[in-house]
Amino acid sequence: MKKPSNPKTGKKEHNHYRWALTAFVMAVALSGLLSLSSEAILENAGLLLALLILALFIGLGIVFDMIGVAVTAADPKPFHSMAAHKEKGGKEAIRLLSNANRVSSVCNDVVGDICGIVSGATGAVIVARLQKGLDLESVLISVGVTALISGATIGGKALGKPFAMNQSKRVVHLAGRFLHLFHRG
């Protein structure tokens, strides 16, 4: 005999799969957009512009990682007060906190991983430019650039995580204020 299904469990499982599909579609779209933009900019860019774009992607990855950590660590009470007093970003911060699981997933996994992948691709462009400029094809250049990108990303996130946990109210409030810029009505 077949066991009767629990409607709550079935719905929760359905939402889990729906969220996974949403995250997949979001990752594909965002990755494609960022990769296409990066490729278009880097096509004729010099070494300095490529380095700036690399720093931008590493920085974005670190900032989004901090937001993802902060929403899981922040206490919602001060944000309810901010929203009640109609402070800019209060309502948006509450929305972030009430969806902390998904916000953390988007910030840490979707955006963070995409920034890591695109910064790696940008690193490949930098390696090619360095090898062309130095007129040598050394594996040491590739290893060195990859190691520096990894170190900057991991080191930046290692610095950002404790800050995000200790200053979660500030980080979430800044994210809420930023989202408020796009608020309609």
Side-chain angles (χ1 to χ4, degrees):
M1 273 179 80
K2 194 174 177 183
K3 270 183 151 178
S5 67
N6 182 343
K8 285 186 177 181
T9 307
K11 186 174 183 181
K12 199 174 206 178
E13 192 172 302
H14 174 72
N15 285 339
H16 178 73
Y17 290 125
R18 196 162 97 201
W19 168 243
L21 179 62
T22 301
F24 171 79
V25 170
M26 190 184 319
V28 169
L30 189 58
S31 181
L33 179 68
L34 288 177
S35 277
L36 185 62
S37 301
S38 175
E39 290 291 326
I41 294 169
L42 290 173
E43 189 174 336
N44 296 314
L47 184 60
L48 183 60
L49 182 57
L51 288 169
L52 288 172
I53 290 170
L54 175 63
L56 173 73
F57 283 120
I58 291 172
L60 274 174
I62 292 168
V63 166
F64 274 87
D65 191 68
M66 289 171 60
I67 294 168
V69 168
V71 297
T72 60
D75 179 11
K77 289 178 189 170
F79 298 105
H80 287 288
S81 176
M82 288 178 193
H85 291 96
K86 305 218 184 283
E87 190 172 326
K88 289 180 183 176
K91 278 202 268 186
E92 291 80 4
I94 290 170
R95 200 171 310 124
L96 289 171
L97 294 175
S98 64
N99 294 296
N101 187 32
R102 289 183 178 181
V103 171
S104 177
S105 180
V106 168
C107 289
N108 296 105
D109 300 331
V110 177
V111 177
D113 290 352
I114 290 169
C115 284
I117 291 164
V118 176
S119 66
T122 304
V125 170
I126 291 170
V127 166
R129 300 274 157 74
L130 286 172
Q131 287 176 338
K132 186 178 177 183
L134 298 174
D135 197 28
L136 81 123
E137 289 187 29
S138 171
V139 72
L140 293 177
I141 294 173
S142 177
V143 169
V145 169
T146 302
L148 288 172
I149 291 170
S150 297
T153 301
I154 294 166
K157 288 182 177 187
L159 284 173
K161 277 185 188 356
F163 177 83
M165 290 177 73
N166 295 328
Q167 299 292 322
S168 59
K169 179 183 172 190
R170 184 191 302 180
V171 173
V172 172
H173 188 224
L174 284 171
R177 287 183 65 99
F178 178 77
L179 291 174
H180 183 75
L181 295 173
F182 304 99
H183 180 77
R184 294 183 195 165

